[in-house]
Amino acid sequence: MHFTSLLIFAAALFVAAGSPGPSIAALVARVIAKGFRDVFPFLLAMWIGEGIWLSLAVFGLAMVAQTFHLAFVVLKWVGVAYLGYLAWKMWTAPVEAREGEMPREESAVKLFFAGMAVTLGNPKIMMFYLALLPTIIDLASVSVIGWVELTATMAVVLVAIDLAWVLAAAQARKLLRSKRAMKIANRVSATTMAGAAAAIAARS
């Protein structure tokens, strides 16, 4: 693919993915409440999920997405339900924490599934790849090599954005040492997570 096309795609993705949305809100809330050490399965699933949407768009499989619309709707609501569950867990989390201690980690498999459900069930992400992307790039002319180039570009942009959010949230977490601060952080994170679930649920 032309380098200019990749730059345009990267710029559009940077704006779309970098703007705070349900996925970013869920990610930041998770890091503030639990730390960054167990968030990577969630991140990996988010990146794979976006890769799936990109592949559907590039290989002209939008019809497949429409055919299996019910499956994506189910995924969406499963993701909403799990985000709601995480919000409840954060809200009720104990505030007893000693120096160097981390709250109990969630299962990596559960976190991966949550990230996948949030990404595949997020209409904002779906609309970017299936509706906006074709107006940026002539997908009919994209070869397998072009798909690899787009996927690599997507990975670089998403990794940079998401890790920046993780770093910012982790730095904010370091300031939260007292019981009161931890309780406030848990409640704020729970509210943010619940808001992310509500935002995904409200979108069609």
Side-chain angles (χ1 to χ4, degrees), residues 9-202:
F9 168 66
L13 181 60
F14 183 86
V15 172
S19 58
S23 297
I24 295 297
L27 176 64
V28 170
R30 177 73 194 182
V31 174
I32 289 178
K34 297 287 188 179
F36 68 89
R37 288 175 174 80
D38 65 339
V39 81
F40 292 104
F42 189 88
L43 274 175
L44 180 62
M46 287 174 58
W47 299 333
I48 292 175
E50 296 226 18
I52 290 173
W53 280 122
L54 174 63
S55 300
L56 287 173
V58 169
F59 294 113
L61 298 180
M63 185 62 68
V64 173
Q66 293 174 3
T67 302
F68 293 97
H69 176 69
L70 179 60
F72 287 111
V73 170
V74 171
L75 267 176
K76 167 185 172 179
W77 287 106
V78 168
V80 167
Y82 192 71
L83 288 181
Y85 167 74
L86 289 179
W88 175 77
K89 292 279 285 184
M90 290 176 184
W91 187 272
T92 58
V95 295
E96 294 286 345
R98 300 189 182 100
E99 184 71 23
E101 234 179 38
M102 282 292 175
R104 185 177 177 180
E105 297 179 355
E106 295 283 346
S107 163
V109 174
K110 287 182 179 179
L111 283 174
F112 182 88
F113 178 75
M116 188 66 72
V118 166
T119 304
L120 292 181
N122 189 343
K124 173 189 173 183
I125 296 175
M126 178 182 68
M127 292 303 294
F128 174 80
Y129 288 106
L130 299 185
L132 180 60
L133 184 60
T135 67
I136 300 173
I137 294 174
D138 181 12
L139 296 178
S141 64
V142 176
S143 63
V144 173
I145 295 177
W147 168 74
V148 171
E149 293 171 340
L150 284 171
T151 302
T153 302
M154 178 204 74
V156 170
V157 172
L158 292 181
V159 168
I161 289 173
D162 292 338
L163 290 186
W165 280 108
V166 167
L167 180 61
Q171 291 300 314
R173 177 179 167 79
K174 288 182 179 180
L175 302 176
L176 308 173
R177 295 300 184 188
S178 68
K179 280 186 180 182
R180 185 170 182 273
M182 287 192 66
K183 184 175 182 179
I184 292 173
N186 285 343
R187 297 293 171 86
V188 170
S189 297
T191 303
T192 304
M193 189 74 78
I200 293 176

